[in-house]
Amino acid sequence: MFFKRELLDKPVYNQSMRVAFLKVGEYEGLARHIKAFIRRFREKGAEVLELNLAEGDINEKVKELMDFSPIFCIDLNANGVITVSQEDKKTALSDALGFVHVSIFTDEPMFNFLPILDISSATNFLPVVCDLKYADSLAFMGIKQPPFYITPFIDLEQMGKPEAERDINLAFFEPVIDPNIIANSVAQNLRQEFLGVFFEVGDFMFRNPEVHILQAHDYILSMFNPSLQEEYNKWREENPQDFYALLNQISLYATAKKRWFLLSFLDGMELKVFGEVQGEPFDGHQSIVPQSLSELLELLGRTSLVITSYPHSVPTGVGFVPLEVAGMGCAMMVDYRATLPGFFQPEEEVITYLPLDRAEIEEKVMYYMDNPDKALEIGQKAQKKVFEKYTHEDRADFLYDLFSNILASSQKS
């Protein structure tokens, strides 16, 4: 979320470790795991303020922030960025008040491009990414500071225990949408001469699941005739917000197409989709939309084999969803990517498939349905890996140590 208010008086400096966590609404969905960072920072002795920018007047929130005098402010995906105005010029509140604004990007930065574009010239901005390719997106949007990297993590305190009996044999985790719904929506709003860019880039990403949107876009655009490229680049320069929206729509379309194609391979199988289905469901598939975290964890705890499909917004990392699935001891089946062995060992801790290989997908699903003990063994190994290597402690400690070093350096200068 983006706010603009009049510039406040002067920078505030404080020499103790004071950290403010800025949020817009409550931490819901996968964002809830950041609560573990708040606990950890307090455990390590930091003074911590949680500030919900969506509640009350923004000026009161800024005053509360000033009274707290933070050295560091942390938000997720830049949704807590605040700018102020001085002489018709936007300035990041972090620069105006002298604190460091830290954004942890758990998702593709271009999904929240507006506040990022507004602070592209900020000095006291420190990005932290959970996927290495997010660095490319940030640089593309003008962020000059090289980001720090942490792998995704889960908060074990919020994870439940699996049921003793797993009575759901096969599930797909994440909402799915018929890609034609997205395509039809784009066709109604995008200039007709540019629709070819949308479809060609989206189809290229569908065929090349590990490619990032920026590389795919530039590669495909270069193949169009020069006159269309010229007109497109002119539109892009004059309508930057529409351009970023188009890139996001392409990513969503490619992801939807990949997931819809995958589920078509499983047509006729009894399968639960943990999430909303937009479009005509395939035969045998049932959508279950969890109404709470406890309901979602209860469903995962009852499931033997969970299929996931990486969104194009997670191009290289492991993502948070697979960690939650593995954390509940489910046998997890994910699309293979070159970076996967750095997180889970294929066919030992995770079952892999090639997104376009129908025969492989059907064969592996049937094998593990016929051999539930093998699936359970893989799920237990994955759960052990998550409990050992993908909890919040070392990620939070890394940031705390980084902040301590920055604070120590500032005290010496």
Side-chain angles (χ1 to χ4, degrees):
M1 184 175 289
F2 164 70
F3 302 94
K4 184 175 74 172
R5 290 295 184 268
E6 291 303 314
L7 183 66
L8 300 165
D9 294 329
K10 59 183 179 179
V12 177
Y13 300 97
N14 189 291
Q15 297 304 310
S16 65
M17 177 68 81
R18 292 192 175 190
V19 183
F21 283 80
L22 307 180
K23 60 184 180 180
V24 180
E26 296 303 320
Y27 292 124
E28 297 179 338
L30 298 175
R32 66 181 177 273
H33 295 295
I34 198 65
K35 295 177 184 178
F37 273 28
I38 298 173
R39 293 199 314 271
R40 188 65 170 178
F41 271 69
R42 283 177 172 149
E43 290 170 1
K44 294 182 74 66
E47 295 182 64
V48 174
L49 170 70
E50 293 181 71
L51 202 60
N52 189 345
L53 301 179
E55 293 182 349
D57 183 76
I58 185 60
N59 293 304
E60 294 178 359
K61 298 299 179 183
V62 171
K63 184 180 183 302
E64 188 175 350
L65 196 62
M66 289 182 66
D67 292 341
F68 181 68
S69 301
I71 293 295
F72 304 93
C73 285
I74 300 176
D75 73 1
L76 290 181
N77 302 309
N79 61 11
V81 165
I82 304 174
T83 63
V84 296
S85 59
Q86 183 184 39
E87 299 176 354
D88 298 325
K89 180 181 178 182
K90 289 181 181 178
T91 302
L93 184 66
S94 54
D95 285 2
L97 297 185
F99 63 81
V100 179
H101 187 103
V102 181
S103 284
I104 301 175
F105 289 96
T106 59
D107 209 341
E108 168 59 63
M110 285 190 292
F111 284 170
N112 203 27
F113 60 85
L114 282 176
I116 298 174
L117 294 176
D118 281 334
I119 61 167
S120 60
S121 60
T123 301
N124 295 342
F125 180 62
L126 193 159
V128 178
V129 298
C130 293
D131 190 292
L132 291 174
K133 276 295 182 181
Y134 295 167
D136 294 346
S137 299
L138 289 170
F140 184 72
M141 289 185 285
I143 300 298
K144 299 177 179 59
Q145 298 90 329
F148 290 88
Y149 171 70
I150 60 172
T151 55
F153 56 92
I154 61 172
D155 178 9
L156 293 182
E157 284 194 11
Q158 298 184 60
M159 302 295 290
K161 293 184 178 180
E163 296 289 334
E165 181 181 354
R166 294 184 180 265
D167 58 343
I168 300 176
N169 294 324
L170 181 64
F172 181 87
F173 188 11
E174 288 291 327
V176 291
I177 180 172
D178 185 338
N180 290 321
I181 296 176
I182 298 176
N184 291 336
S185 175
V186 171
Q188 294 176 14
N189 297 285
L190 185 64
R191 287 172 53 172
Q192 294 301 302
E193 62 267 37
F194 299 156
L195 280 176
V197 177
F198 170 82
F199 284 109
E200 290 298 331
V201 177
D203 289 346
F204 179 77
M205 294 176 68
F206 168 69
R207 296 190 302 271
N208 299 273
E210 296 185 55
V211 70
H212 188 249
I213 177 61
L214 293 177
Q215 285 71 44
H217 172 269
D218 290 350
Y219 173 70
I220 294 298
L221 182 63
S222 68
M223 298 183 177
F224 282 83
N225 66 68
S227 61
L228 187 141
Q229 289 186 50
E230 182 179 357
E231 186 65 22
Y232 180 87
N233 286 327
K234 179 182 177 183
W235 166 81
R236 165 181 169 177
E237 184 176 346
E238 294 175 349
N239 304 274
Q241 294 186 19
D242 292 341
F243 170 66
Y244 281 109
L246 176 61
L247 292 181
N248 292 335
Q249 289 166 331
I250 293 172
S251 289
L252 294 173
Y253 170 73
T255 297
K257 188 168 183 177
K258 182 172 70 165
R259 289 176 173 174
W260 200 256
F261 194 59
L262 166 65
L263 291 180
S264 73
F265 294 168
L266 306 174
D267 187 21
M269 292 188 182
E270 185 177 336
L271 178 144
K272 312 292 186 186
V273 177
F274 295 160
E276 183 181 2
V277 175
Q278 295 186 47
E280 187 65 30
F282 293 98
D283 185 35
H285 297 187
Q286 177 189 359
S287 170
I288 302 177
V289 182
Q291 300 301 310
S292 65
L293 171 61
S294 59
E295 183 180 349
L296 171 61
L297 295 178
E298 188 263 340
L299 286 169
L300 288 174
R302 293 167 48 199
T303 306
S304 296
L305 179 62
V306 175
I307 302 175
T308 65
S309 176
Y310 281 111
H312 281 280
S313 57
V314 184
T316 64
V318 67
F320 286 80
V321 165
L323 298 185
E324 288 198 332
V325 173
M328 293 304 293
C330 306
M332 182 171 56
M333 188 167 171
V334 304
D335 34 336
Y336 181 83
R337 50 174 50 181
T339 55
L340 181 63
F343 300 100
F344 291 99
Q345 286 303 311
E347 314 315 321
E348 293 183 15
E349 298 165 333
V350 64
I351 305 162
T352 62
Y353 65 88
L354 297 176
L356 305 182
D357 191 335
R358 176 168 189 156
E360 180 190 37
I361 293 169
E362 290 179 337
E363 180 181 349
K364 287 191 173 181
V365 168
M366 294 305 299
Y367 174 79
Y368 287 104
M369 290 297 92
D370 292 339
N371 297 274
D373 55 325
K374 300 290 185 181
L376 180 61
E377 182 180 348
I378 289 177
Q380 290 173 339
K381 289 181 179 179
Q383 185 182 54
K384 183 173 184 293
K385 171 66 75 66
V386 168
F387 288 177
E388 290 177 351
K389 296 194 173 184
Y390 294 104
T391 57
H392 70 280
E393 284 91 349
D394 60 340
R395 280 75 169 168
D397 290 353
F398 168 78
L399 288 184
Y400 188 90
D401 292 342
L402 174 64
F403 293 175
S404 298
N405 292 336
I406 293 174
L407 184 57
S409 298
S410 69
Q411 291 172 342
K412 291 179 182 178
S413 59

